[in-house]
Amino acid sequence: MSFQVFRQRWRKLLAAGAAALLTGAALAATTGTAAAAGTGPCDIYASGGTPCVAAHSTTRALFGAYGGSLYQVRRWSDGATANIGVLSAGGYANAAAQDSFCSGTYCTIVRIYDQTARHNDLTIAPGGGANPTADQGANAAALPVTAGGHKVYGVYISAGNGYRNNNTNGIATGSAPEGMYMVTEGTHTNDRCCFDYGNAETNNNDTGNGDMDAIYFGTLCWFSPCSGTAPKVMSDLENGLFAGGNGSNTANTGRGSAFVTAVTKNNGTSTYAIKDGDAQSGGLATRWNGSLPTQGGYQPMTKQGAIILGIGGDNSNGSVGSFFEGVMTSGYPSDATENAVQANIVSVGYTKSVPFPVNGATYRLTNLAAGKVLDAADCGTANGTAVRLWDNLNNACQQWRFTSVGANKWTITNVNAGKVLDAVNCGLALGTATNLWQSLGNKCQQWAVIPAGNGRYELVVENSGMVLDDQNCGTANGTKTQMWMWLNNTCQLWSFSS
């Protein structure tokens, strides 16, 4: 029989045993043990009467019976594509298939398949009201992690990355209720708009209050006061990131764990809830469970039913974030169902890969397109010294020391000058220059080193989420370096050598 027919029959069996399955899942959540083999989050949601209408993951199957493709990658060298599936039905992604297909070149994630029968796949987002330029797909090798003891890849969102589907099937519209979750990272966030997953406008524009219902995760404080600096799960209901109530909610203290379960639900007329949890252990914390905002437009909601990932409803795409899995449901899930889903997520055992580079080591950085190294202009040592590309001179002006300042966050110090690589004036605009400056301990001088495969890396500055770029892909000595959104080209890739 076809896979879809098999899955339909499987769901009927699930429905017949719904009460028993939910009881078992809730027990797993209570005891902290893993959910039964062959049970995925969407099986648990279905057993609770709130089935998944969209299920996206690049790391694993979200139904116990799912054996199809998880995502699609496109190869830079020839434009060919390959679907990456699971090792076995209900299992984990076949990362080796991606590694083999992308060997000797680089790959971009161009489609994330919906594991339900509704075909709500996510593809690279078009332009919108906030940014008319189409987005870029994520670097497919950027986020290697371990899940279930297997190497898998998450979706690493830099500024300019984003996915969307404006022609969905079964996603809540108007005041219909829905729930959703995603697994993300608490260490890869910023305060720009908007790292979202969920329900958005179908025309790529901000069309008014209540037209969205998406999970936001990050440090942007929309409604002051906010509590602390930890990234927070909030509801993007359009024209506001709501930490609870009418927006400001200091009881929502956030969560900065390595992996975070972000959960929201919205009954469409009166109530919404926000929860978060450590995706590696423990249960969910309720940050809000009460009235929808009383400002005009939110009671009732006017959801439009598109799905977005990594961007706002109007294609606001300055955010950064990580995505491993997420679902959207039909109906308002119970607390017991969400607790059981959290227990299932914990059972996956998400862990991070060993970071590169070596803390305290020095390297020369060679731009792949130019074949030239990152250089302090004229061996300058003053604040404001320009950073450029130059032939390798084997001197200390072209050596850079990497010092860890957190989870894959580094200061990059020029060995000769003793000053750090800096985004000038903490700029957020495309084309922001780079220079050397004394260490200020801010995010404009903190860099993530992101693998692209084949021994090449992106360098992403933390404040803006943009990457270190060879200006205009120049090849001459003296070519400037700058900050730009990720464009999936070799002008933004760097190799490390001693």
Side-chain angles (χ1 to χ4, degrees):
M1 71 179 69
S2 72
F3 174 70
Q4 289 186 9
V5 171
F6 173 77
R7 185 157 64 195
Q8 289 168 356
R9 294 183 181 179
W10 174 249
R11 287 180 176 175
K12 289 179 180 178
L13 290 172
L14 284 173
L21 182 57
L22 182 57
T23 301
L27 179 61
T30 302
T31 61
T33 59
T39 300
C42 286
D43 303 313
I44 297 170
Y45 278 114
S47 74
T50 51
C52 294
V53 289
H56 303 104
S57 177
T58 58
T59 62
R60 64 165 178 153
L62 301 177
F63 290 90
Y66 187 77
S69 296
L70 299 179
Y71 61 103
Q72 184 180 85
V73 295
R74 177 177 291 134
R75 200 159 52 194
W76 293 15
S77 58
D78 59 3
T81 59
N83 290 334
I84 308 302
V86 291
L87 294 166
S88 60
Y92 296 92
N94 185 356
Q98 174 181 316
D99 292 340
S100 176
F101 180 75
C102 302
S103 178
T105 181
Y106 310 95
C107 282
T108 298
I109 297 173
V110 294
R111 182 180 293 267
I112 305 172
Y113 287 101
D114 176 18
Q115 298 178 30
T116 79
R118 296 179 179 274
H119 304 293
N120 289 318
D121 301 347
L122 295 173
T123 56
I124 296 171
N131 190 329
T133 303
D135 294 328
Q136 296 286 327
N139 165 5
L143 193 53
V145 297
T146 300
H150 301 276
K151 176 186 176 183
V152 295
Y153 290 101
V155 183
Y156 187 91
I157 298 293
S158 298
N161 295 149
Y163 297 86
R164 194 177 197 118
N165 184 338
N166 286 338
N167 298 293
T168 60
N169 180 334
I171 303 302
T173 58
S175 60
E178 67 181 347
M180 61 194 77
Y181 85 83
M182 71 171 170
V183 177
T184 182
E185 283 187 301
T187 56
H188 177 219
T189 64
N190 70 0
D191 61 356
R192 303 183 71 191
C193 184
C194 287
F195 180 66
D196 287 352
Y197 172 69
N199 196 322
E201 294 94 342
T202 55
N203 65 358
N204 312 328
N205 291 307
D206 177 349
T207 54
N209 294 0
D211 287 359
M212 288 183 63
D213 177 29
I215 300 171
Y216 166 82
F217 188 70
T219 58
L220 177 55
C221 180
W222 194 287
F223 295 100
S224 183
C226 296
S227 178
T229 59
K232 296 171 180 60
V233 179
M234 293 186 268
S235 287
D236 189 342
L237 306 179
E238 193 52 282
N239 296 322
L241 303 176
F242 293 81
N246 285 333
S248 177
N249 173 27
T250 56
N252 187 342
T253 54
R255 188 177 295 269
S257 55
F259 296 89
V260 174
T261 306
V263 181
T264 66
K265 55 186 174 183
N266 186 319
N267 77 357
T269 57
S270 61
T271 302
Y272 74 121
I274 299 171
K275 302 179 182 181
D276 62 48
D278 186 334
Q280 294 178 302
S281 65
L284 296 171
T286 299
R287 304 301 186 178
W288 177 257
N289 185 6
S291 173
L292 278 166
T294 58
Q295 299 96 309
Y298 301 109
Q299 296 189 34
M301 296 288 292
T302 49
K303 306 165 194 170
Q304 293 193 14
I307 305 174
I308 54 174
L309 170 61
I311 54 176
D314 60 358
N315 195 37
S316 299
N317 61 0
S319 60
V320 304
S322 304
F323 180 85
F324 302 99
E325 59 181 79
V327 312
M328 301 173 67
T329 73
S330 174
Y332 195 78
S334 69
D335 291 340
T337 297
E338 290 168 337
N339 290 340
V341 168
Q342 167 66 359
N344 180 276
I345 293 167
V346 169
S347 75
V348 170
Y350 279 110
T351 57
K352 293 193 174 184
S353 301
V354 176
F356 176 86
V358 176
N359 186 30
T362 60
Y363 301 91
R364 298 185 193 281
L365 305 179
T366 302
N367 183 268
L368 182 57
K372 289 182 165 58
V373 301
L374 195 67
D375 174 270
D378 301 319
C379 286
T381 60
N383 282 339
T385 295
V387 177
R388 63 185 185 180
L389 298 179
W390 202 269
D391 290 333
N392 185 2
L393 302 175
N394 289 310
N395 62 30
C397 313
Q398 299 175 338
Q399 287 183 314
W400 304 86
R401 178 175 294 107
F402 283 71
T403 305
S404 176
V405 291
N408 196 24
K409 296 180 177 66
W410 309 85
T411 56
I412 305 176
T413 304
N414 184 266
V415 172
N416 178 66
K419 290 184 168 63
V420 301
L421 184 63
D422 173 270
V424 172
N425 296 326
C426 290
L428 300 177
L430 295 177
T432 293
T434 59
N435 65 7
L436 297 183
W437 204 268
Q438 67 192 50
S439 179
L440 301 174
N442 62 32
K443 290 187 175 182
C444 318
Q445 300 176 340
Q446 294 179 3
W447 302 79
V449 180
I450 306 303
N454 301 292
R456 305 299 196 275
Y457 298 85
E458 308 170 47
L459 296 175
V460 181
V461 70
E462 287 291 305
N463 75 305
S464 69
M466 294 190 290
V467 301
L468 186 65
D469 175 269
D470 165 9
Q471 188 178 72
N472 298 324
C473 291
T475 60
N477 281 336
T479 296
K480 295 178 180 179
T481 57
Q482 63 180 6
M483 306 312 305
W484 204 268
M485 69 174 62
W486 174 241
L487 295 176
N488 291 297
N489 66 34
T490 56
C491 312
Q492 299 176 334
L493 295 183
W494 305 82
S495 63
F496 286 60
S497 59
S498 57

